[in-house]
Amino acid sequence: MYRSTGRSLALPEKIGNAQAPQETGELLVPDLQIPTQIFRGTSKIGGATVGYTLEVPEDIIDPVPLGIVHGYTGIEQAYIGLRNYTARNGKPSFTYDTPRNLDIPWLLDPRHILFPNKLLGQAVWGTMHSIAKNKQNRVDGTVYDLAGHSMGTPTSIHLAHLKNDHVRSVMMIAGAGMEDHNLVMLLTRLPGFLKEEVAPAIKQGNFCEASRTRMIAKTALHICSNLPRTLAEGIAVSDSDIVEKVGSLKELNIKTGLLGFVSDSLLHTRKAFINMESIVDVARLLPGNHLGPQIFPAVTGAEL
C-alpha cells in the first residue's frame, strides 16, 4: 500500500489558503492507466442495505484490495476518482454507500444512535465479506488495506481492531481523532471550512467526474434521510480520540500511515502530526486541503 517516499514531517511555519497541487512531476508515480472492470453488489448488515462498487484492474499488481472508508457526510460518488486512480494503477479498490436506509425495526434502534461508529464499521466489513464471497471478481478478499478519510479514520481503526486478521494496513487521510478536538472546536471551524474549501469546490465543480447538481442532491439526501444518525455521527467524530488505538495496532502487526494536507481548515494538521509522528509507520504532508482525496484524487492515490 505504501511506496518509499520518506518521512516528510516538517510543516511550514504558516499554513495559508489551499492551493491546487500539481498532478505532474515528482509528486506522482507514473499513472499506469490499466483498464479496469466494475463489479457492483450489496451487503445486508445491522438492518441496513449497503451498496458498493468494486473496481478491479485487468492486470492486478497488488492483490490486496483497498477499502476507501468515507468521511462525515461523504457519499460514494465523492470518492470515485480515488477508487479509479488506485484501481487503474494495479490495486483492486472499493467504495460503498454509507448506511442510511435502515429497515423499519432498526430505524430507531438506540444502538445506532449511541454507537454510530459500530454500524459504520459493520458497513465496511459487510462489503469486505461480500467481495470475498464473489468468485467472479478475481479478488481474494481475505485481507484488505483500508484508507479512511476524515471520520473514516476512526471507523477504519475501530474495524482494524475488531477484524485484525483481515486488515493489513490503515492509511489515515486527514483523519479525525488525532488532535484532541471536540464538538465546540469543530463547530467553530465549520464556517471557515465551508467558505474556504466546500464552497469553492462546489462552484468549480471539482468533485472528480460527478456532476455538481447530482453531488449536491445526493449529499443533501444523505444528510437528511436519517437525521438522528447524521447528528449522532457528527457528535461521535467530534469527540473521537484514536491516538492510543493507532499505537496498539502495531501489536497486531497492522501497518499505519498518515496523510495530512497543508491547508486543511477543519482538522489541524500540525497538531495531528505532533501527536502521531512517533506512532505511525509512514507520514506524509501533501499540498491541498481537507477535501484533497475528493477533488485531487491522483495526489492522494499516488501515496496509497
Side-chain angles (χ1 to χ4, degrees), residues 17-28:
N17 294 328
Q19 298 292 325
Q22 298 295 317
E23 299 212 2
T24 58
E26 295 182 0
L27 180 63
L28 299 184

Side-chain angles (χ1 to χ4, degrees), residues 175-244:
M178 296 185 288
E179 46 127 341
D180 307 320
H181 53 61
N182 56 43
L183 181 60
V184 175
M185 291 171 62
L186 293 189
L187 287 176
T188 301
R189 298 173 191 171
L190 184 60
F193 169 65
L194 294 174
K195 179 182 178 181
E196 298 171 13
E197 299 192 30
V198 177
I202 293 175
K203 182 178 180 180
Q204 297 169 17
N206 281 342
F207 286 99
C208 310
E209 301 172 0
S211 76
R212 178 168 30 187
T213 303
R214 183 181 301 175
M215 283 289 297
I216 294 173
K218 284 185 173 292
T219 301
L221 179 62
H222 172 81
I223 294 172
C224 298
S225 61
N226 192 331
L227 283 175
R229 271 208 61 84
T230 299
L231 294 173
E233 289 174 6
I235 294 172
V237 69
S238 65
D239 290 329
S240 59
D241 186 347
I242 63 170
V243 177
E244 290 187 7

Side-chain angles (χ1 to χ4, degrees), residues 244-303:
E244 290 187 7
K245 290 183 177 179
V246 173
S248 63
L249 287 180
K250 285 189 176 182
E251 300 173 7
L252 302 174
N253 295 318
I254 295 175
K255 298 291 186 180
T256 56
L258 171 62
L259 295 183
F261 295 94
V262 173
S263 302
D264 191 330
S265 61
L266 184 63
L267 298 172
H268 286 182
T269 304
R270 184 184 303 277
K271 185 64 178 294
F273 269 60
I274 291 172
N275 288 344
M276 303 297 291
E277 62 178 335
S278 63
I279 298 175
V280 298
D281 296 290
V282 175
R284 288 280 289 161
L285 179 66
L286 303 179
N289 59 32
H290 192 73
L291 300 179
Q294 299 166 332
I295 60 179
F296 303 116
V299 175
T300 304
E303 298 293 336

Side-chain angles (χ1 to χ4, degrees), residues 19-287:
Q19 298 292 325
Q22 298 295 317
E23 299 212 2
T24 58
E26 295 182 0
L27 180 63
L28 299 184
V29 295
D31 190 340
L32 300 180
Q33 301 277 341
I34 300 172
T36 63
Q37 186 176 4
I38 295 291
F39 298 87
R40 291 186 172 87
T42 59
S43 65
K44 187 83 169 181
I45 193 162
T49 300
V50 178
Y52 66 85
T53 304
L54 171 68
E55 192 163 355
V56 182
E58 289 186 2
D59 181 13
I60 297 176
I61 297 174
D62 182 353
V64 176
L66 174 68
I68 299 171
V69 185
H70 306 179
Y72 183 60
T73 73
I75 60 175
E76 182 179 21
Q77 286 75 14
Y79 296 91
I80 290 175
L82 182 57
R83 184 195 71 213
N84 176 255
Y85 183 90
T86 51
R88 73 176 187 250
N89 282 279
K91 187 175 185 66
S93 304
F94 75 80
T95 51
Y96 62 98
D97 288 323
T98 305
R100 275 298 183 274
N101 298 320
L102 304 177
D103 295 341
I104 291 178
W106 292 82
L107 192 58
L108 297 178
D109 189 319
R111 290 174 296 180
H112 289 325
I113 306 302
L114 297 175
F115 310 105
N117 269 342
K118 289 189 175 182
L119 183 59
L120 294 173
Q122 287 175 339
V124 182
W125 169 244
T127 299
M128 293 161 60
H129 187 61
S130 180
I131 289 172
K133 292 194 302 182
N134 185 348
K135 302 304 180 184
Q136 296 181 343
N137 57 32
R138 300 184 294 117
V139 173
D140 176 61
T142 303
V143 178
Y144 289 79
D145 292 320
L146 299 178
H149 175 226
S150 193
M151 184 180 71
T153 287
T155 300
S156 300
I157 298 301
H158 172 74
L159 180 59
H161 275 278
L162 290 178
K163 303 293 183 182
N164 54 80
D165 289 340
H166 301 279
V167 177
R168 180 176 72 169
S169 67
V170 178
M171 180 64 88
M172 300 167 285
I173 308 172
M178 296 185 288
E179 46 127 341
D180 307 320
H181 53 61
N182 56 43
L183 181 60
V184 175
M185 291 171 62
L186 293 189
L187 287 176
T188 301
R189 298 173 191 171
L190 184 60
F193 169 65
L194 294 174
K195 179 182 178 181
E196 298 171 13
E197 299 192 30
V198 177
I202 293 175
K203 182 178 180 180
Q204 297 169 17
N206 281 342
F207 286 99
C208 310
E209 301 172 0
S211 76
R212 178 168 30 187
T213 303
R214 183 181 301 175
M215 283 289 297
I216 294 173
K218 284 185 173 292
T219 301
L221 179 62
H222 172 81
I223 294 172
C224 298
S225 61
N226 192 331
L227 283 175
R229 271 208 61 84
T230 299
L231 294 173
E233 289 174 6
I235 294 172
V237 69
S238 65
D239 290 329
S240 59
D241 186 347
I242 63 170
V243 177
E244 290 187 7
K245 290 183 177 179
V246 173
S248 63
L249 287 180
K250 285 189 176 182
E251 300 173 7
L252 302 174
N253 295 318
I254 295 175
K255 298 291 186 180
T256 56
L258 171 62
L259 295 183
F261 295 94
V262 173
S263 302
D264 191 330
S265 61
L266 184 63
L267 298 172
H268 286 182
T269 304
R270 184 184 303 277
K271 185 64 178 294
F273 269 60
I274 291 172
N275 288 344
M276 303 297 291
E277 62 178 335
S278 63
I279 298 175
V280 298
D281 296 290
V282 175
R284 288 280 289 161
L285 179 66
L286 303 179

